[in-house]
Amino acid sequence: MGNQKYTASELMAIMTAKEFRDWEVAFVGIGIPLVAGITAKRFHAPNLNIVYESGCIGPQKYRVDFNVGDSSAADGALCLTSEWRVFSDMQCGYYDVGVLGAAQVDKYGNLNTTAIFGSQDYQSPKVRLPGSGGGNDIGSNIGRVVVMLRLEPLRFVEKVDYLTTPGFLDGAPDARKRAGLLGSGPAAVVTDKALFRFDASTSEMYLDTIYPGVDVQDIKSLVGWELKISPDLKVASEPTDEELAAVRASDPANLIMGGVAARKRLSGLDEYIEVTIKNSGK
Amino acid sequence: MNGNNNANKQMTLKDAIGKYVKDDCSITFGGFIGRDCVAAVHEIIRQGIKNLTVIDDSKTDMMDLLVGAGAVKRWEGAYLGYGAIGLAPNIRRSVEKGIPAKFELEDWSNAGISMRYLAGSLNIPFMATKSMLGTDILKYNQRIKVINDPYAGEPVALVPAAHPDVAVIHVQRADAMGNAQVWGFTGNDENKARAAKHTIITCEEIVATDEIRRQGNMTAIPFYCVDAVVQVPYGCHPQSCYGYYAYDVLFCGDYHEAAKDREQFLSWLDRYVFESEDHAAYCAKVGWSRLQNLMTMERHFNRIPG
């Protein structure tokens, strides 16, 4: 992936956006998932309704959120209610699709967002991560779950250090039902290099789609188990200009995907406010 | 009759925190990152209150500040990060390296904590949930009990009611009796206020009780749950307050960069907390015109009907 006109993060957001369908209700977690949700609303799924765990149902997406509880999460919402209420609605099965990030994933789609142990343990880990937040609740209860994380060394592992969010647990056909879980488990794992899905009979993750210019061997070398490849492996199409425009307008100051460097490029708060309002459509 | 049934609970933030937030107490904060009680957290740090047990859903800079200041003994909660900006630097330093001190961690999910506050607000001992089953949350947190539903037989997780000593909740407006009105999402605020032994309301504006009566639907927390009412304009900065001011992402970014280094974090704490007499002094350092611009931005998107 050399001299192309889009970044890996942008393609990742676009590939995730395609997992949303129009008129669905989507429960969306923090970070690039939010950008993907906004992109979908601005592109192929204008009637997608997003739900945030702070208690916001069906907001207009005028501006990007940095937290699911920013005031922006409530802009023009259909319903503003409580956190316990939206989690209860999730448990009732009202939400079609959930999207969340993770630091580690295993071959059955179990996620870790709690701690990377390294040579140590839960109480004194190498890296302490935020914890479940609403991630576990999404993975436990929603029918179709899309996971987003970068395909980097030590992220796709045989066994996660800490199982925060349930995928297919030990992979046994009835593992989720035996544990008492309601949702049917992960449907896709979207990364910056490829998209993975799960085998219906074995619950094991396999390589479904590679991005333009990516080599299958490179993917295999970054996955910590013997990765199975789809017999009809697909290659993602290059993002169109319209898709790129939608993803860029979703995060106009590029602060979610561009991080510290993008923040430093801004002259100050006034420029940020100006860019946000200009791209808001309101 | 409840001792809270009186006409005027207004006091200063310094007095409210001093009266209700004691060393070794348990505490929760309202809001959900937006509408966070940042001013109250600064005052807790300013008063040197220690050994807090925080029972909460998701927190960003508030918990990072409290942990960095060495005020936290124990966390029972779901999320300690910094949203899209990254991981929380003081949380990491404490858990990974014990700087300035370790704190006890008990992990839950957001729905799990929400159910603990629902149980607390209902005054029943526990609530059942379908979250957290089959995961390591159960392995490391033995207080979550998995039983088979006595009616249908399916596994279900039980979580104990939360009853913190104090809840601090920031709202858009309240009257002097403590009727607290909230616009935007409400998080777990209505339940936290009912579950806690004492509740401090901080607010952007104090209004007349007749004004509260005009929109009684917006009162998430009625007076009988409330012990103290404190007016703290811009009390959530750098977090957002729906209808009042937008999230200050650049200020948060700068804090996040500074907090990665312990010495720089301590300088930040000196400048914005210890050397600021109160929240107005903090606001002056942030800059009143900056705060005004955040208000202009928020009101471009959200206006509270007058």
Side-chain angles (χ1 to χ4, degrees), chain A residues 53 66 69 71 75 81 83 122-124 128 130 133 136-137 163 180 282, chain B residues 34 57 78 80 96 102 107 109-110 131-132 136 185 187-188 240 298 300 302:
Chain A
E53 59 201 284
F66 297 93
S71 58
D75 288 349
T81 180
E83 178 183 353
Y122 170 68
Q123 290 298 339
S124 295
R128 173 66 204 196
N136 169 277
D137 310 309
L163 199 170
K282 181 181 180 173
Chain B
D57 32 43
L80 292 173
E96 295 163 20
K102 297 281 273 191
D107 276 293
S109 75
N110 272 335
S131 282
M132 302 179 288
D136 286 344
F185 56 80
N188 284 312
S240 57
E298 178 64 15
H300 182 87
N302 295 307

PDB file of all heavy atoms in Angstrom, chain A residues 53 66 69 71 75 81 83 122-124 128 130 133 136-137 163 180 282, chain B residues 34 57 78 80 96 102 107 109-110 131-132 136 185 187-188 240 298 300 302:
ATOM      1  N   GLU A  53     -24.261   4.787  24.138  1.00  0.00           N
ATOM      2  CA  GLU A  53     -24.539   4.260  25.469  1.00  0.00           C
ATOM      3  C   GLU A  53     -24.831   5.336  26.512  1.00  0.00           C
ATOM      4  O   GLU A  53     -25.408   5.051  27.555  1.00  0.00           O
ATOM      5  CB  GLU A  53     -23.380   3.375  25.937  1.00  0.00           C
ATOM      6  CG  GLU A  53     -22.054   4.079  25.992  1.00  0.00           C
ATOM      7  CD  GLU A  53     -20.895   3.081  25.959  1.00  0.00           C
ATOM      8  OE1 GLU A  53     -20.641   2.462  26.977  1.00  0.00           O
ATOM      9  OE2 GLU A  53     -20.256   2.941  24.909  1.00  0.00           O
ATOM     10  N   PHE A  66     -15.889  12.714  20.103  1.00  0.00           N
ATOM     11  CA  PHE A  66     -14.618  12.193  20.622  1.00  0.00           C
ATOM     12  C   PHE A  66     -14.865  11.217  21.764  1.00  0.00           C
ATOM     13  O   PHE A  66     -14.014  10.425  22.120  1.00  0.00           O
ATOM     14  CB  PHE A  66     -13.710  13.343  21.052  1.00  0.00           C
ATOM     15  CG  PHE A  66     -13.348  14.206  19.889  1.00  0.00           C
ATOM     16  CD1 PHE A  66     -14.099  15.333  19.578  1.00  0.00           C
ATOM     17  CD2 PHE A  66     -12.308  13.849  19.051  1.00  0.00           C
ATOM     18  CE1 PHE A  66     -13.799  16.104  18.471  1.00  0.00           C
ATOM     19  CE2 PHE A  66     -12.009  14.616  17.945  1.00  0.00           C
ATOM     20  CZ  PHE A  66     -12.754  15.748  17.652  1.00  0.00           C
ATOM     21  N   GLY A  69     -20.268  10.265  24.949  1.00  0.00           N
ATOM     22  CA  GLY A  69     -21.073  11.132  25.805  1.00  0.00           C
ATOM     23  C   GLY A  69     -20.805  12.606  25.583  1.00  0.00           C
ATOM     24  O   GLY A  69     -21.156  13.436  26.425  1.00  0.00           O
ATOM     25  N   SER A  71     -21.637  16.264  23.989  1.00  0.00           N
ATOM     26  CA  SER A  71     -22.930  16.867  23.665  1.00  0.00           C
ATOM     27  C   SER A  71     -23.299  16.592  22.209  1.00  0.00           C
ATOM     28  O   SER A  71     -24.472  16.463  21.862  1.00  0.00           O
ATOM     29  CB  SER A  71     -22.916  18.368  23.946  1.00  0.00           C
ATOM     30  OG  SER A  71     -21.887  18.995  23.208  1.00  0.00           O
ATOM     31  N   ASP A  75     -26.957  15.681  19.389  1.00  0.00           N
ATOM     32  CA  ASP A  75     -27.444  16.656  18.396  1.00  0.00           C
ATOM     33  C   ASP A  75     -28.675  16.119  17.661  1.00  0.00           C
ATOM     34  O   ASP A  75     -28.603  15.094  16.982  1.00  0.00           O
ATOM     35  CB  ASP A  75     -26.370  16.931  17.323  1.00  0.00           C
ATOM     36  CG  ASP A  75     -25.193  17.755  17.844  1.00  0.00           C
ATOM     37  OD1 ASP A  75     -25.273  18.293  18.958  1.00  0.00           O
ATOM     38  OD2 ASP A  75     -24.188  17.862  17.087  1.00  0.00           O
ATOM     39  N   THR A  81     -32.332   9.712  26.507  1.00  0.00           N
ATOM     40  CA  THR A  81     -32.785   8.963  27.670  1.00  0.00           C
ATOM     41  C   THR A  81     -31.581   8.568  28.509  1.00  0.00           C
ATOM     42  O   THR A  81     -30.541   9.233  28.464  1.00  0.00           O
ATOM     43  CB  THR A  81     -33.645   7.757  27.198  1.00  0.00           C
ATOM     44  OG1 THR A  81     -34.095   7.034  28.335  1.00  0.00           O
ATOM     45  CG2 THR A  81     -32.891   6.817  26.276  1.00  0.00           C
ATOM     46  N   GLU A  83     -28.642   5.861  30.315  1.00  0.00           N
ATOM     47  CA  GLU A  83     -27.713   4.797  29.951  1.00  0.00           C
ATOM     48  C   GLU A  83     -28.332   3.423  30.231  1.00  0.00           C
ATOM     49  O   GLU A  83     -28.286   2.531  29.372  1.00  0.00           O
ATOM     50  CB  GLU A  83     -26.436   4.987  30.771  1.00  0.00           C
ATOM     51  CG  GLU A  83     -25.386   3.920  30.545  1.00  0.00           C
ATOM     52  CD  GLU A  83     -24.171   4.128  31.443  1.00  0.00           C
ATOM     53  OE1 GLU A  83     -24.094   5.160  32.139  1.00  0.00           O
ATOM     54  OE2 GLU A  83     -23.305   3.243  31.453  1.00  0.00           O
ATOM     55  N   TYR A 122      -2.887  -9.451  35.529  1.00  0.00           N
ATOM     56  CA  TYR A 122      -4.011  -8.503  35.555  1.00  0.00           C
ATOM     57  C   TYR A 122      -3.757  -7.331  36.489  1.00  0.00           C
ATOM     58  O   TYR A 122      -4.054  -6.188  36.163  1.00  0.00           O
ATOM     59  CB  TYR A 122      -5.279  -9.261  35.978  1.00  0.00           C
ATOM     60  CG  TYR A 122      -6.485  -8.403  36.277  1.00  0.00           C
ATOM     61  CD1 TYR A 122      -7.139  -7.691  35.268  1.00  0.00           C
ATOM     62  CD2 TYR A 122      -7.001  -8.321  37.582  1.00  0.00           C
ATOM     63  CE1 TYR A 122      -8.262  -6.921  35.551  1.00  0.00           C
ATOM     64  CE2 TYR A 122      -8.129  -7.556  37.859  1.00  0.00           C
ATOM     65  CZ  TYR A 122      -8.750  -6.852  36.848  1.00  0.00           C
ATOM     66  OH  TYR A 122      -9.862  -6.091  37.126  1.00  0.00           O
ATOM     67  N   GLN A 123      -3.206  -7.608  37.672  1.00  0.00           N
ATOM     68  CA  GLN A 123      -3.017  -6.537  38.656  1.00  0.00           C
ATOM     69  C   GLN A 123      -1.876  -5.592  38.287  1.00  0.00           C
ATOM     70  O   GLN A 123      -1.919  -4.416  38.638  1.00  0.00           O
ATOM     71  CB  GLN A 123      -2.767  -7.135  40.055  1.00  0.00           C
ATOM     72  CG  GLN A 123      -3.995  -7.812  40.671  1.00  0.00           C
ATOM     73  CD  GLN A 123      -5.170  -6.850  40.909  1.00  0.00           C
ATOM     74  OE1 GLN A 123      -4.992  -5.637  40.984  1.00  0.00           O
ATOM     75  NE2 GLN A 123      -6.384  -7.384  41.006  1.00  0.00           N
ATOM     76  N   SER A 124      -0.853  -6.112  37.595  1.00  0.00           N
ATOM     77  CA  SER A 124       0.288  -5.266  37.192  1.00  0.00           C
ATOM     78  C   SER A 124       0.643  -5.545  35.734  1.00  0.00           C
ATOM     79  O   SER A 124       1.687  -6.116  35.447  1.00  0.00           O
ATOM     80  CB  SER A 124       1.508  -5.561  38.058  1.00  0.00           C
ATOM     81  OG  SER A 124       1.268  -5.197  39.382  1.00  0.00           O
ATOM     82  N   ARG A 128      -2.144  -1.224  30.742  1.00  0.00           N
ATOM     83  CA  ARG A 128      -3.535  -1.199  31.195  1.00  0.00           C
ATOM     84  C   ARG A 128      -4.357  -0.434  30.148  1.00  0.00           C
ATOM     85  O   ARG A 128      -4.047   0.703  29.786  1.00  0.00           O
ATOM     86  CB  ARG A 128      -3.655  -0.523  32.558  1.00  0.00           C
ATOM     87  CG  ARG A 128      -5.105  -0.297  33.031  1.00  0.00           C
ATOM     88  CD  ARG A 128      -5.887  -1.579  33.325  1.00  0.00           C
ATOM     89  NE  ARG A 128      -7.316  -1.310  33.209  1.00  0.00           N
ATOM     90  CZ  ARG A 128      -8.281  -2.114  33.690  1.00  0.00           C
ATOM     91  NH1 ARG A 128      -7.981  -3.225  34.321  1.00  0.00           N
ATOM     92  NH2 ARG A 128      -9.545  -1.801  33.520  1.00  0.00           N
ATOM     93  N   PRO A 130      -8.472   0.639  28.678  1.00  0.00           N
ATOM     94  CA  PRO A 130      -9.597   1.256  29.389  1.00  0.00           C
ATOM     95  C   PRO A 130     -10.530   0.305  30.133  1.00  0.00           C
ATOM     96  O   PRO A 130     -11.152   0.685  31.111  1.00  0.00           O
ATOM     97  CB  PRO A 130     -10.364   1.966  28.266  1.00  0.00           C
ATOM     98  CG  PRO A 130      -9.321   2.271  27.243  1.00  0.00           C
ATOM     99  CD  PRO A 130      -8.421   1.071  27.272  1.00  0.00           C
ATOM    100  N   GLY A 133     -15.945  -0.755  29.182  1.00  0.00           N
ATOM    101  CA  GLY A 133     -16.930   0.247  28.784  1.00  0.00           C
ATOM    102  C   GLY A 133     -18.207  -0.495  28.433  1.00  0.00           C
ATOM    103  O   GLY A 133     -18.609  -1.424  29.147  1.00  0.00           O
ATOM    104  N   ASN A 136     -18.320  -5.045  26.250  1.00  0.00           N
ATOM    105  CA  ASN A 136     -18.816  -6.371  26.631  1.00  0.00           C
ATOM    106  C   ASN A 136     -20.316  -6.478  26.383  1.00  0.00           C
ATOM    107  O   ASN A 136     -20.807  -7.518  25.926  1.00  0.00           O
ATOM    108  CB  ASN A 136     -18.524  -6.643  28.112  1.00  0.00           C
ATOM    109  CG  ASN A 136     -19.244  -7.875  28.595  1.00  0.00           C
ATOM    110  OD1 ASN A 136     -20.421  -7.812  28.946  1.00  0.00           O
ATOM    111  ND2 ASN A 136     -18.571  -9.015  28.538  1.00  0.00           N
ATOM    112  N   ASP A 137     -21.027  -5.414  26.668  1.00  0.00           N
ATOM    113  CA  ASP A 137     -22.491  -5.433  26.537  1.00  0.00           C
ATOM    114  C   ASP A 137     -22.898  -5.582  25.064  1.00  0.00           C
ATOM    115  O   ASP A 137     -23.832  -6.311  24.745  1.00  0.00           O
ATOM    116  CB  ASP A 137     -23.071  -4.161  27.159  1.00  0.00           C
ATOM    117  CG  ASP A 137     -22.519  -3.937  28.564  1.00  0.00           C
ATOM    118  OD1 ASP A 137     -22.570  -4.881  29.366  1.00  0.00           O
ATOM    119  OD2 ASP A 137     -21.995  -2.840  28.840  1.00  0.00           O
ATOM    120  N   LEU A 163     -10.210 -11.906  28.499  1.00  0.00           N
ATOM    121  CA  LEU A 163     -11.389 -11.955  27.624  1.00  0.00           C
ATOM    122  C   LEU A 163     -12.432 -10.962  28.151  1.00  0.00           C
ATOM    123  O   LEU A 163     -13.162 -11.260  29.094  1.00  0.00           O
ATOM    124  CB  LEU A 163     -11.952 -13.383  27.573  1.00  0.00           C
ATOM    125  CG  LEU A 163     -12.883 -13.739  26.398  1.00  0.00           C
ATOM    126  CD1 LEU A 163     -13.149 -15.242  26.360  1.00  0.00           C
ATOM    127  CD2 LEU A 163     -14.194 -12.970  26.398  1.00  0.00           C
ATOM    128  N   GLY A 180     -25.163 -18.406  28.352  1.00  0.00           N
ATOM    129  CA  GLY A 180     -26.342 -17.576  28.625  1.00  0.00           C
ATOM    130  C   GLY A 180     -26.394 -16.304  27.797  1.00  0.00           C
ATOM    131  O   GLY A 180     -27.197 -15.416  28.077  1.00  0.00           O
ATOM    132  N   LYS A 282     -25.271  21.992   9.007  1.00  0.00           N
ATOM    133  CA  LYS A 282     -26.270  22.745   9.787  1.00  0.00           C
ATOM    134  C   LYS A 282     -25.772  24.162  10.057  1.00  0.00           C
ATOM    135  O   LYS A 282     -24.666  24.318  10.513  1.00  0.00           O
ATOM    136  CB  LYS A 282     -26.556  22.078  11.129  1.00  0.00           C
ATOM    137  CG  LYS A 282     -27.600  22.843  11.931  1.00  0.00           C
ATOM    138  CD  LYS A 282     -27.910  22.242  13.276  1.00  0.00           C
ATOM    139  CE  LYS A 282     -28.967  23.124  13.958  1.00  0.00           C
ATOM    140  NZ  LYS A 282     -29.486  22.610  15.195  1.00  0.00           N
TER     141      LYS A 282
ATOM    142  N   GLY B  34     -19.524  13.698  28.795  1.00  0.00           N
ATOM    143  CA  GLY B  34     -20.254  14.956  28.695  1.00  0.00           C
ATOM    144  C   GLY B  34     -20.979  15.176  30.020  1.00  0.00           C
ATOM    145  O   GLY B  34     -21.417  14.223  30.661  1.00  0.00           O
ATOM    146  N   ASP B  57     -19.387   4.309  35.886  1.00  0.00           N
ATOM    147  CA  ASP B  57     -19.431   3.646  34.590  1.00  0.00           C
ATOM    148  C   ASP B  57     -18.191   3.981  33.766  1.00  0.00           C
ATOM    149  O   ASP B  57     -17.243   3.218  33.727  1.00  0.00           O
ATOM    150  CB  ASP B  57     -20.744   3.956  33.840  1.00  0.00           C
ATOM    151  CG  ASP B  57     -21.285   5.348  34.151  1.00  0.00           C
ATOM    152  OD1 ASP B  57     -20.481   6.298  34.183  1.00  0.00           O
ATOM    153  OD2 ASP B  57     -22.500   5.481  34.365  1.00  0.00           O
ATOM    154  N   ALA B  78     -16.207   0.546  34.709  1.00  0.00           N
ATOM    155  CA  ALA B  78     -16.191  -0.089  33.389  1.00  0.00           C
ATOM    156  C   ALA B  78     -15.139   0.469  32.435  1.00  0.00           C
ATOM    157  O   ALA B  78     -14.616  -0.264  31.599  1.00  0.00           O
ATOM    158  CB  ALA B  78     -17.574   0.028  32.742  1.00  0.00           C
ATOM    159  N   LEU B  80     -11.824   3.352  31.887  1.00  0.00           N
ATOM    160  CA  LEU B  80     -10.880   4.400  32.289  1.00  0.00           C
ATOM    161  C   LEU B  80      -9.944   4.668  31.116  1.00  0.00           C
ATOM    162  O   LEU B  80      -8.873   4.070  31.013  1.00  0.00           O
ATOM    163  CB  LEU B  80     -10.049   3.931  33.493  1.00  0.00           C
ATOM    164  CG  LEU B  80     -10.772   3.757  34.825  1.00  0.00           C
ATOM    165  CD1 LEU B  80      -9.838   3.117  35.845  1.00  0.00           C
ATOM    166  CD2 LEU B  80     -11.285   5.094  35.335  1.00  0.00           C
ATOM    167  N   GLU B  96       0.358   0.245  36.047  1.00  0.00           N
ATOM    168  CA  GLU B  96       1.526  -0.484  35.526  1.00  0.00           C
ATOM    169  C   GLU B  96       2.751  -0.311  36.411  1.00  0.00           C
ATOM    170  O   GLU B  96       3.550  -1.226  36.554  1.00  0.00           O
ATOM    171  CB  GLU B  96       1.844   0.000  34.100  1.00  0.00           C
ATOM    172  CG  GLU B  96       0.731  -0.326  33.092  1.00  0.00           C
ATOM    173  CD  GLU B  96       0.838   0.494  31.806  1.00  0.00           C
ATOM    174  OE1 GLU B  96       1.934   1.025  31.510  1.00  0.00           O
ATOM    175  OE2 GLU B  96      -0.186   0.621  31.112  1.00  0.00           O
ATOM    176  N   LYS B 102      -0.512   2.450  43.666  1.00  0.00           N
ATOM    177  CA  LYS B 102      -1.463   1.532  43.044  1.00  0.00           C
ATOM    178  C   LYS B 102      -2.860   1.819  43.589  1.00  0.00           C
ATOM    179  O   LYS B 102      -2.999   2.346  44.685  1.00  0.00           O
ATOM    180  CB  LYS B 102      -1.113   0.087  43.402  1.00  0.00           C
ATOM    181  CG  LYS B 102       0.219  -0.406  42.899  1.00  0.00           C
ATOM    182  CD  LYS B 102       0.188  -0.781  41.451  1.00  0.00           C
ATOM    183  CE  LYS B 102      -0.250  -2.228  41.250  1.00  0.00           C
ATOM    184  NZ  LYS B 102      -0.023  -2.633  39.834  1.00  0.00           N
ATOM    185  N   ASP B 107     -13.178  -4.661  37.689  1.00  0.00           N
ATOM    186  CA  ASP B 107     -13.753  -4.380  36.370  1.00  0.00           C
ATOM    187  C   ASP B 107     -15.194  -4.859  36.254  1.00  0.00           C
ATOM    188  O   ASP B 107     -15.531  -5.971  36.685  1.00  0.00           O
ATOM    189  CB  ASP B 107     -12.902  -5.053  35.278  1.00  0.00           C
ATOM    190  CG  ASP B 107     -11.708  -4.212  34.878  1.00  0.00           C
ATOM    191  OD1 ASP B 107     -11.926  -3.138  34.303  1.00  0.00           O
ATOM    192  OD2 ASP B 107     -10.559  -4.611  35.166  1.00  0.00           O
ATOM    193  N   SER B 109     -18.800  -4.157  33.332  1.00  0.00           N
ATOM    194  CA  SER B 109     -19.176  -3.515  32.065  1.00  0.00           C
ATOM    195  C   SER B 109     -20.073  -2.323  32.387  1.00  0.00           C
ATOM    196  O   SER B 109     -20.583  -2.198  33.504  1.00  0.00           O
ATOM    197  CB  SER B 109     -19.925  -4.497  31.164  1.00  0.00           C
ATOM    198  OG  SER B 109     -21.247  -4.681  31.642  1.00  0.00           O
ATOM    199  N   ASN B 110     -20.301  -1.463  31.398  1.00  0.00           N
ATOM    200  CA  ASN B 110     -21.185  -0.317  31.636  1.00  0.00           C
ATOM    201  C   ASN B 110     -22.603  -0.756  31.992  1.00  0.00           C
ATOM    202  O   ASN B 110     -23.236  -0.152  32.854  1.00  0.00           O
ATOM    203  CB  ASN B 110     -21.231   0.593  30.401  1.00  0.00           C
ATOM    204  CG  ASN B 110     -20.127   1.648  30.431  1.00  0.00           C
ATOM    205  OD1 ASN B 110     -19.642   2.016  31.492  1.00  0.00           O
ATOM    206  ND2 ASN B 110     -19.750   2.134  29.265  1.00  0.00           N
ATOM    207  N   SER B 131     -25.284  -9.413  30.573  1.00  0.00           N
ATOM    208  CA  SER B 131     -23.926  -8.999  30.209  1.00  0.00           C
ATOM    209  C   SER B 131     -22.883  -9.768  31.029  1.00  0.00           C
ATOM    210  O   SER B 131     -23.202 -10.329  32.079  1.00  0.00           O
ATOM    211  CB  SER B 131     -23.753  -7.504  30.459  1.00  0.00           C
ATOM    212  OG  SER B 131     -24.342  -6.753  29.427  1.00  0.00           O
ATOM    213  N   MET B 132     -21.670  -9.735  30.544  1.00  0.00           N
ATOM    214  CA  MET B 132     -20.461 -10.214  31.243  1.00  0.00           C
ATOM    215  C   MET B 132     -20.353 -11.738  31.331  1.00  0.00           C
ATOM    216  O   MET B 132     -19.333 -12.267  31.779  1.00  0.00           O
ATOM    217  CB  MET B 132     -20.351  -9.593  32.655  1.00  0.00           C
ATOM    218  CG  MET B 132     -20.315  -8.068  32.607  1.00  0.00           C
ATOM    219  SD  MET B 132     -20.222  -7.267  34.227  1.00  0.00           S
ATOM    220  CE  MET B 132     -21.860  -7.561  34.845  1.00  0.00           C
ATOM    221  N   ASP B 136     -13.731 -13.132  31.188  1.00  0.00           N
ATOM    222  CA  ASP B 136     -12.797 -12.999  32.313  1.00  0.00           C
ATOM    223  C   ASP B 136     -13.219 -11.917  33.304  1.00  0.00           C
ATOM    224  O   ASP B 136     -12.626 -11.804  34.381  1.00  0.00           O
ATOM    225  CB  ASP B 136     -11.384 -12.688  31.788  1.00  0.00           C
ATOM    226  CG  ASP B 136     -10.743 -13.912  31.162  1.00  0.00           C
ATOM    227  OD1 ASP B 136     -11.249 -15.033  31.401  1.00  0.00           O
ATOM    228  OD2 ASP B 136      -9.745 -13.758  30.427  1.00  0.00           O
ATOM    229  N   PHE B 185     -28.663  13.568  27.017  1.00  0.00           N
ATOM    230  CA  PHE B 185     -28.724  12.237  27.644  1.00  0.00           C
ATOM    231  C   PHE B 185     -28.612  12.368  29.161  1.00  0.00           C
ATOM    232  O   PHE B 185     -28.093  13.356  29.665  1.00  0.00           O
ATOM    233  CB  PHE B 185     -27.613  11.333  27.097  1.00  0.00           C
ATOM    234  CG  PHE B 185     -26.247  11.928  27.276  1.00  0.00           C
ATOM    235  CD1 PHE B 185     -25.594  11.851  28.493  1.00  0.00           C
ATOM    236  CD2 PHE B 185     -25.624  12.589  26.237  1.00  0.00           C
ATOM    237  CE1 PHE B 185     -24.343  12.412  28.673  1.00  0.00           C
ATOM    238  CE2 PHE B 185     -24.367  13.159  26.401  1.00  0.00           C
ATOM    239  CZ  PHE B 185     -23.731  13.074  27.620  1.00  0.00           C
ATOM    240  N   GLY B 187     -27.465   9.580  31.202  1.00  0.00           N
ATOM    241  CA  GLY B 187     -26.540   8.610  31.810  1.00  0.00           C
ATOM    242  C   GLY B 187     -27.262   7.780  32.859  1.00  0.00           C
ATOM    243  O   GLY B 187     -28.382   7.310  32.643  1.00  0.00           O
ATOM    244  N   ASN B 188     -26.633   7.611  34.013  1.00  0.00           N
ATOM    245  CA  ASN B 188     -27.288   6.903  35.129  1.00  0.00           C
ATOM    246  C   ASN B 188     -27.640   7.867  36.263  1.00  0.00           C
ATOM    247  O   ASN B 188     -27.800   7.453  37.411  1.00  0.00           O
ATOM    248  CB  ASN B 188     -26.375   5.793  35.656  1.00  0.00           C
ATOM    249  CG  ASN B 188     -26.364   4.581  34.738  1.00  0.00           C
ATOM    250  OD1 ASN B 188     -27.414   4.099  34.322  1.00  0.00           O
ATOM    251  ND2 ASN B 188     -25.179   4.108  34.403  1.00  0.00           N
ATOM    252  N   SER B 240     -18.021  18.576  27.678  1.00  0.00           N
ATOM    253  CA  SER B 240     -19.133  19.352  27.147  1.00  0.00           C
ATOM    254  C   SER B 240     -20.292  19.406  28.125  1.00  0.00           C
ATOM    255  O   SER B 240     -20.371  18.595  29.053  1.00  0.00           O
ATOM    256  CB  SER B 240     -19.611  18.708  25.846  1.00  0.00           C
ATOM    257  OG  SER B 240     -19.970  17.361  26.079  1.00  0.00           O
ATOM    258  N   GLU B 298     -21.569  25.289  20.724  1.00  0.00           N
ATOM    259  CA  GLU B 298     -22.608  24.372  21.192  1.00  0.00           C
ATOM    260  C   GLU B 298     -23.988  24.881  20.789  1.00  0.00           C
ATOM    261  O   GLU B 298     -24.839  24.111  20.352  1.00  0.00           O
ATOM    262  CB  GLU B 298     -22.521  24.210  22.714  1.00  0.00           C
ATOM    263  CG  GLU B 298     -23.597  23.316  23.319  1.00  0.00           C
ATOM    264  CD  GLU B 298     -23.536  21.860  22.864  1.00  0.00           C
ATOM    265  OE1 GLU B 298     -22.506  21.457  22.302  1.00  0.00           O
ATOM    266  OE2 GLU B 298     -24.535  21.144  23.067  1.00  0.00           O
ATOM    267  N   HIS B 300     -24.803  26.615  18.323  1.00  0.00           N
ATOM    268  CA  HIS B 300     -25.055  26.439  16.891  1.00  0.00           C
ATOM    269  C   HIS B 300     -25.836  25.134  16.676  1.00  0.00           C
ATOM    270  O   HIS B 300     -26.638  25.026  15.757  1.00  0.00           O
ATOM    271  CB  HIS B 300     -23.727  26.395  16.129  1.00  0.00           C
ATOM    272  CG  HIS B 300     -23.881  26.256  14.649  1.00  0.00           C
ATOM    273  ND1 HIS B 300     -24.044  27.345  13.818  1.00  0.00           N
ATOM    274  CD2 HIS B 300     -23.930  25.164  13.855  1.00  0.00           C
ATOM    275  CE1 HIS B 300     -24.184  26.915  12.569  1.00  0.00           C
ATOM    276  NE2 HIS B 300     -24.119  25.601  12.561  1.00  0.00           N
ATOM    277  N   ASN B 302     -27.216  23.017  19.549  1.00  0.00           N
ATOM    278  CA  ASN B 302     -28.220  22.710  20.573  1.00  0.00           C
ATOM    279  C   ASN B 302     -28.563  23.936  21.395  1.00  0.00           C
ATOM    280  O   ASN B 302     -27.686  24.503  22.042  1.00  0.00           O
ATOM    281  CB  ASN B 302     -27.673  21.642  21.541  1.00  0.00           C
ATOM    282  CG  ASN B 302     -27.437  20.325  20.861  1.00  0.00           C
ATOM    283  OD1 ASN B 302     -28.319  19.779  20.210  1.00  0.00           O
ATOM    284  ND2 ASN B 302     -26.233  19.818  20.990  1.00  0.00           N
TER     285      ASN B 302
END
